[in-house]
Amino acid sequence: MEAAAAAAAGGGCGSGPPPLLLSEGEQQCYSELFARCAGAAGGGPGSGPPEAARVAPGTATAAAGPVADLFRASQLPAETLHQITELCGAKRVGYFGATQFYIALKLIAAAQSGLPVRIESIKCELPLPRFMMSKNDGEIRFGNPAELHGTKVQIPYLTTEKNSFKRMDDEDKQQETQSPTMSPLASPPSSPPHYQRVPLSHGYSKLRSSAEQMHPAPYEARQPLVQPEGSSSGGPGTKPLRHQASLIRSFSVERELQDNSSYPDEPWRITEEQREYYVNQFRSLQPDPSSFISGSVAKNFFTKSKLSIPELSYIWELSDADCDGALTLPEFCAAFHLIVARKNGYPLPEGLPPTLQPEYLQAAFPKPKWDCQLFDSYSESLPANQQPRDLNRMEKTSVKDMADLPVPTQDVTSDDKQAPLALKSTINEALSKDVSEDPATSKDSNSLKARPRSRSYSSTSIEEAMKRGEDPPTPPPRPQKTHSRASSLDLNKVFQPSVPATKSGLLPPPPALPPRPCPSQSEQVSEAELLPQLSRAPCQAVESSPAKKDVPYSQPPSKPIRRKFRPENQATENQEPSTAASGPASAATMKPHPTVQKQSSKQKKAIQTAIRKNKEANAVLARLNSELQQQLKEVHQERIALENQLEQLRPVTVL
Amino acid sequence: MAVCIAVIAKENYPLYIRSTPTENELKFHYMVHTSLDVVDEKISAMGKALVDQRELYLGLLYPTEDYKVYGYVTNSKVKFVMVVDSSNTALRDNEIRSMFRKLHNSYTDVMCNPFYNPGDRIHPGGPYFLCPYPVQVGPTSCVRSSPGGPYSCVRSSPAGPLITW
């Protein structure tokens, strides 16, 4: 047996590591592990039974996934595993053949015994490598399963089952093959005790556990298949048969996986208590059970578990099935369960176990408590859906949309109450155009609204446009505002003739004044863009300025461009229109003079307040002007830079 | 078959590079590095005005005697570079586009993970490391983001023997 192993190893590895001498126990263990790794790959073209692997090492490969799990289960540091894989030659040839696998196992045993990882180590007598609970086989730590509730009872059951199956396996193999190189076959009496010691899958993979359960069935199927041919076909005949049998086994396993609703000992199965706990935790983070937890919230929550960030990242990748950066309730339960399992010492699976899949969790644990209609439809539709991932996305997007919808409406309402909105910025253009077409009404309303909106000077132009948009509906307050400045009733009477006069003064100027200031202002402004509407803006400013009691530049521009004009208007043209307007204003004021002189003091006060406010507004506008000038300079510089770039790129792009 | 795949961050440092270890990997790293210049040139040639219209797939960046280098840029200026063996004439443009699309999807999946900080290196696989195996990416259905990690399993077509992390 040892010679055969050596020959096989020597034949297989070629110019690789020295021939591997395995003891009988090692031989059995390694072949079993190799079979697990190869078989768990799902019946691929090369993953036949160990005999096939032994005879034709080139064709049998152990899948990297189970092999990786197995190596990880050995609990060696990553660098050691790297070394081992390099040494065994798997990295060189690119796959794990039998020889590479056996050498790797030997090296793992060496490393676990404390020997340096070298080729020479494999020549020593070493104990069998030890593996933590993993998907594939390995010697179990009996203490571990006890930690997880519910599996204690199932383990001895599985042990006995497995042993009985293994015995059957050996007997079958013994019957069918006469290959002398097969060590398990060569020593059937000793194998059962050996297998008792060896690998128990503690149900990390339902694949294996269900595979074990399925052994009787395919074996029975194989029996009639193989028996008639077993006698006739020798060694070569058994190979295709075994291959077929392994395929049958894999198919039946797959079928079993899909049909089996009750998985045996399953550390990835969530119990009711755990479920309740997870659900409560979910509720603490997100009151709506049909909604989901955002990534950042979940991150903060899971970070409390004190697992390392790479592990948490891995758990997230496993549990967030639709990769949308948020966890629904089943995803959250799966993630939580994985974290709990990891804290208890279970290595994380390579893929999300079926019992933790969102659709499984949805179906297995219906939630009658929650009355959310969305959620009911969600749970109902999920089991029926072939592609739960898409549905999750759709549902999530619908929930998200619903969640999003109330938010902007709230924003709209709140903004409407407080101040004009950015929401209407899209119709800003239209509004401004409308405003420009109705200079009189908007101007008046703007001028009158100026006082309470004095803070709007520093605000964005959009807000000002919004205020302007609001102006047309509220003409009534107009006369009150003018009266509010004059506190006495007499003044009201006094100014009543003057107010209409000023008003009339305001109204007629539009036809008269606009042509005058507009061309001059447009000439003055050389850099800013000229729009037809803008020409009206300065006119509006001009029209408002004559009313000194009203704040002249109270008209906030509806566009940022207008603001450029406005400060310039005010800065440069203030005097001109003011002088022009002072005429009618003074004329208006002349009327009440002879009639009421007692009110002159109050009038002065009113004028002084108006002057003060005008000065404040002036200062603000001057500041605005300077800012805009600065912006203009920067934009100019940008333009120059861009033009330079263009020039530089031009000859290049010709290529 | 792609022999090298690289994900380059916005600041032109690599987030993830995998290549077949047939020869010195350094050669592929160097090719990827030099291709970054070509990528930048292609991006800037589009002009700032066409940023929105710019196509993500950049196409063949430059051919060498043995290899061809293809590029792809995301909207956040993360670049994917793929080096392909020139002898593989059956590889069509559409296939390369689909490979890049899948790579992009895998990358967005990585982004969705809240534990991933943008700008970090992308680590294949889960919490345990095994030596990364060579990448032999098939023409179709090549890049798959398995739950085990963003680039943990780049599985080849059934005919390909190499299985990777």
Side-chain angles (χ1 to χ4, degrees), chain A residues 398-421:
Chain A
S398 64
V399 170
K400 270 180 186 166
D401 290 335
M402 289 192 50
D404 285 344
L405 281 176
V407 172
T409 53
Q410 278 178 9
D411 288 343
V412 169
T413 51
S414 63
D415 281 352
D416 275 335
K417 288 167 191 167
Q418 300 167 8
L421 314 160

Short mmCIF file of all heavy atoms in Angstrom, two decimals, chain A residues 398-421:
data_model
loop_
_atom_site.label_atom_id
_atom_site.label_comp_id
_atom_site.label_asym_id
_atom_site.label_seq_id
_atom_site.Cartn_x
_atom_site.Cartn_y
_atom_site.Cartn_z
N SER A 398 -39.53 50.48 -5.09
CA SER A 398 -40.87 51.02 -4.89
C SER A 398 -41.00 51.56 -3.49
O SER A 398 -41.57 52.61 -3.26
CB SER A 398 -41.92 49.94 -5.16
OG SER A 398 -41.77 48.92 -4.20
N VAL A 399 -40.44 50.82 -2.54
CA VAL A 399 -40.52 51.32 -1.16
C VAL A 399 -39.73 52.60 -1.04
O VAL A 399 -40.14 53.55 -0.40
CB VAL A 399 -39.99 50.25 -0.18
CG1 VAL A 399 -39.83 50.83 1.19
CG2 VAL A 399 -40.96 49.08 -0.15
N LYS A 400 -38.60 52.58 -1.70
CA LYS A 400 -37.76 53.78 -1.64
C LYS A 400 -38.49 54.95 -2.25
O LYS A 400 -38.44 56.06 -1.74
CB LYS A 400 -36.46 53.54 -2.40
CG LYS A 400 -35.36 52.96 -1.56
CD LYS A 400 -34.12 52.77 -2.40
CE LYS A 400 -33.05 52.05 -1.62
NZ LYS A 400 -31.99 51.56 -2.46
N ASP A 401 -39.14 54.68 -3.37
CA ASP A 401 -39.85 55.79 -4.00
C ASP A 401 -40.91 56.32 -3.07
O ASP A 401 -41.09 57.51 -2.91
CB ASP A 401 -40.51 55.32 -5.30
CG ASP A 401 -39.45 55.03 -6.35
OD1 ASP A 401 -38.38 55.62 -6.25
OD2 ASP A 401 -39.72 54.22 -7.25
N MET A 402 -41.61 55.36 -2.45
CA MET A 402 -42.65 55.82 -1.55
C MET A 402 -42.06 56.58 -0.39
O MET A 402 -42.63 57.53 0.10
CB MET A 402 -43.46 54.62 -1.03
CG MET A 402 -44.32 54.01 -2.12
SD MET A 402 -45.51 52.87 -1.44
CE MET A 402 -46.24 53.80 -0.16
N ALA A 403 -40.92 56.12 0.04
CA ALA A 403 -40.31 56.83 1.16
C ALA A 403 -39.82 58.19 0.72
O ALA A 403 -39.83 59.15 1.47
CB ALA A 403 -39.17 56.00 1.74
N ASP A 404 -39.38 58.23 -0.52
CA ASP A 404 -38.83 59.49 -0.98
C ASP A 404 -39.91 60.50 -1.26
O ASP A 404 -39.72 61.69 -1.10
CB ASP A 404 -38.03 59.26 -2.27
CG ASP A 404 -36.69 58.60 -1.96
OD1 ASP A 404 -36.31 58.62 -0.78
OD2 ASP A 404 -36.08 58.06 -2.89
N LEU A 405 -41.06 59.99 -1.70
CA LEU A 405 -42.09 60.94 -2.11
C LEU A 405 -42.53 61.86 -0.97
O LEU A 405 -42.65 63.05 -1.17
CB LEU A 405 -43.29 60.18 -2.66
CG LEU A 405 -43.11 59.69 -4.11
CD1 LEU A 405 -44.31 58.87 -4.53
CD2 LEU A 405 -42.93 60.89 -5.02
N PRO A 406 -42.77 61.31 0.21
CA PRO A 406 -43.24 62.24 1.24
C PRO A 406 -42.22 63.29 1.57
O PRO A 406 -42.55 64.39 1.97
CB PRO A 406 -43.49 61.35 2.46
CG PRO A 406 -43.47 59.97 1.96
CD PRO A 406 -42.80 59.96 0.62
N VAL A 407 -40.96 62.93 1.40
CA VAL A 407 -39.94 63.88 1.84
C VAL A 407 -39.96 65.14 1.01
O VAL A 407 -40.01 66.24 1.55
CB VAL A 407 -38.56 63.18 1.80
CG1 VAL A 407 -37.46 64.16 2.06
CG2 VAL A 407 -38.54 62.07 2.83
N PRO A 408 -39.92 65.00 -0.31
CA PRO A 408 -39.91 66.27 -1.04
C PRO A 408 -41.19 67.07 -0.85
O PRO A 408 -41.16 68.29 -0.84
CB PRO A 408 -39.73 65.86 -2.49
CG PRO A 408 -39.89 64.40 -2.52
CD PRO A 408 -39.71 63.88 -1.16
N THR A 409 -42.31 66.38 -0.69
CA THR A 409 -43.53 67.16 -0.49
C THR A 409 -43.45 67.93 0.82
O THR A 409 -43.90 69.05 0.93
CB THR A 409 -44.76 66.24 -0.45
OG1 THR A 409 -44.53 65.22 0.51
CG2 THR A 409 -44.98 65.62 -1.82
N GLN A 410 -42.85 67.28 1.81
CA GLN A 410 -42.71 68.00 3.07
C GLN A 410 -41.82 69.21 2.88
O GLN A 410 -42.08 70.28 3.39
CB GLN A 410 -42.08 67.08 4.11
CG GLN A 410 -43.09 66.17 4.75
CD GLN A 410 -42.42 65.23 5.73
OE1 GLN A 410 -41.26 65.42 6.03
NE2 GLN A 410 -43.15 64.27 6.20
N ASP A 411 -40.79 68.97 2.14
CA ASP A 411 -39.89 70.09 1.92
C ASP A 411 -40.62 71.22 1.25
O ASP A 411 -40.43 72.37 1.58
CB ASP A 411 -38.72 69.64 1.04
CG ASP A 411 -37.79 68.74 1.81
OD1 ASP A 411 -37.88 68.74 3.05
OD2 ASP A 411 -37.02 68.03 1.17
N VAL A 412 -41.44 70.83 0.29
CA VAL A 412 -42.13 71.88 -0.45
C VAL A 412 -43.01 72.69 0.48
O VAL A 412 -43.01 73.91 0.47
CB VAL A 412 -42.97 71.25 -1.58
CG1 VAL A 412 -43.88 72.28 -2.18
CG2 VAL A 412 -42.05 70.69 -2.65
N THR A 413 -43.76 71.98 1.29
CA THR A 413 -44.69 72.70 2.14
C THR A 413 -43.94 73.58 3.12
O THR A 413 -44.31 74.72 3.35
CB THR A 413 -45.58 71.72 2.90
OG1 THR A 413 -44.73 70.76 3.53
CG2 THR A 413 -46.53 71.02 1.95
N SER A 414 -42.91 73.04 3.69
CA SER A 414 -42.21 73.84 4.69
C SER A 414 -41.58 75.05 4.05
O SER A 414 -41.59 76.14 4.58
CB SER A 414 -41.14 72.98 5.38
OG SER A 414 -40.19 72.58 4.43
N ASP A 415 -41.07 74.81 2.88
CA ASP A 415 -40.41 75.94 2.24
C ASP A 415 -41.42 77.01 1.86
O ASP A 415 -41.13 78.19 1.91
CB ASP A 415 -39.66 75.48 1.00
CG ASP A 415 -38.34 74.84 1.40
OD1 ASP A 415 -38.00 74.91 2.58
OD2 ASP A 415 -37.70 74.26 0.53
N ASP A 416 -42.55 76.54 1.44
CA ASP A 416 -43.54 77.52 1.05
C ASP A 416 -43.91 78.41 2.22
O ASP A 416 -44.20 79.58 2.07
CB ASP A 416 -44.81 76.82 0.55
CG ASP A 416 -44.67 76.46 -0.93
OD1 ASP A 416 -43.88 77.15 -1.59
OD2 ASP A 416 -45.32 75.52 -1.37
N LYS A 417 -43.88 77.77 3.35
CA LYS A 417 -44.27 78.58 4.49
C LYS A 417 -43.19 79.58 4.85
O LYS A 417 -43.45 80.69 5.23
CB LYS A 417 -44.53 77.67 5.71
CG LYS A 417 -45.80 76.86 5.55
CD LYS A 417 -45.87 75.76 6.59
CE LYS A 417 -47.00 74.81 6.24
NZ LYS A 417 -46.92 73.58 7.02
N GLN A 418 -41.96 79.10 4.73
CA GLN A 418 -40.91 79.98 5.22
C GLN A 418 -40.42 80.93 4.14
O GLN A 418 -40.48 82.13 4.29
CB GLN A 418 -39.71 79.17 5.68
CG GLN A 418 -40.03 78.21 6.79
CD GLN A 418 -38.91 77.22 6.97
OE1 GLN A 418 -37.87 77.37 6.37
NE2 GLN A 418 -39.13 76.22 7.79
N ALA A 419 -39.92 80.34 3.12
CA ALA A 419 -39.27 81.17 2.13
C ALA A 419 -39.42 80.51 0.78
O ALA A 419 -39.78 79.35 0.69
CB ALA A 419 -37.79 81.33 2.48
N PRO A 420 -39.16 81.25 -0.25
CA PRO A 420 -39.28 80.68 -1.57
C PRO A 420 -38.30 79.53 -1.78
O PRO A 420 -37.33 79.40 -1.07
CB PRO A 420 -38.91 81.84 -2.48
CG PRO A 420 -39.15 83.04 -1.67
CD PRO A 420 -38.97 82.66 -0.27
N LEU A 421 -38.63 78.73 -2.75
CA LEU A 421 -37.96 77.46 -2.84
C LEU A 421 -37.01 77.30 -3.95
O LEU A 421 -37.15 77.86 -5.00
CB LEU A 421 -38.97 76.43 -3.13
CG LEU A 421 -40.07 76.62 -2.31
CD1 LEU A 421 -41.18 75.94 -2.93
CD2 LEU A 421 -39.74 75.94 -1.08
#
